[in-house]
Amino acid sequence: MNGLNKVMLIGNFGSDPEIRYTDTGTPVVNLSLATTDRWKDESGEHQERTEWHRVTFWNGLADLVEQYLHKGSRVYIEGKLQTHEWEDQDGTTRYTTEVICRELKFLDSKNSDTLQ
């Protein structure tokens, strides 16, 4: 049996999308997506915590994100987690985990379309 690697997030873009292209011409957009939890603590005061997620959009999804979305856009994304490993200047091994988007839904437009 295969494992399951699935992420679902609803949040807002932290910056305007900037498309770039790989050496082979494949479009890609990397963005930060903010998700915010809100709750009342034991004393009844409102609390808030924002998490930032690195999200990568490839091919047609990268084109759509770059063309139609902007900083603050609210979206639903589905994808998978992927971790990269590298060495910094001091030779220390570092890791970063990102969400590779497979499905995108615009939430703050009149035409909330699901795109894959």
Side-chain angles (χ1 to χ4, degrees):
M1 178 176 187
N2 290 331
L4 176 65
N5 182 350
K6 186 172 188 173
V7 176
M8 297 179 284
L9 298 170
I10 294 175
N12 298 81
F13 286 158
S15 62
D16 287 329
E18 291 186 29
I19 200 162
R20 62 180 178 80
Y21 297 88
T22 65
D23 292 340
T24 59
T26 304
V28 61
V29 170
N30 297 98
L31 283 174
S32 291
L33 183 77
T35 57
T36 303
D37 289 326
R38 294 177 178 90
W39 71 94
K40 285 186 181 181
D41 63 18
E42 294 172 359
S43 65
E45 297 207 21
H46 292 278
Q47 300 292 323
E48 181 175 292
R49 180 178 60 224
T50 300
E51 295 286 337
W52 289 93
H53 312 273
R54 182 176 168 84
V55 183
T56 300
F57 302 88
W58 291 95
N59 300 309
L61 288 178
D63 291 327
L64 289 167
V65 165
E66 195 265 339
Q67 186 174 0
Y68 294 109
L69 300 176
H70 53 82
K71 180 179 180 177
S73 291
R74 188 159 183 81
V75 295
Y76 164 85
I77 66 160
E78 260 185 52
K80 67 176 185 171
L81 289 179
Q82 185 170 306
T83 301
H84 300 280
E85 175 182 328
W86 78 94
E87 281 190 17
D88 67 13
Q89 295 174 349
D90 299 327
T92 304
T93 302
R94 302 284 185 177
Y95 301 91
T96 188
T97 300
E98 64 186 341
V99 177
I100 306 298
C101 184
R102 293 181 174 161
E103 185 176 321
L104 170 68
K105 184 169 186 173
F106 300 3
L107 296 181
D108 59 357
S109 69
K110 293 178 184 175
N111 300 322
S112 298
D113 295 326
T114 300
L115 307 166
Q116 296 182 18

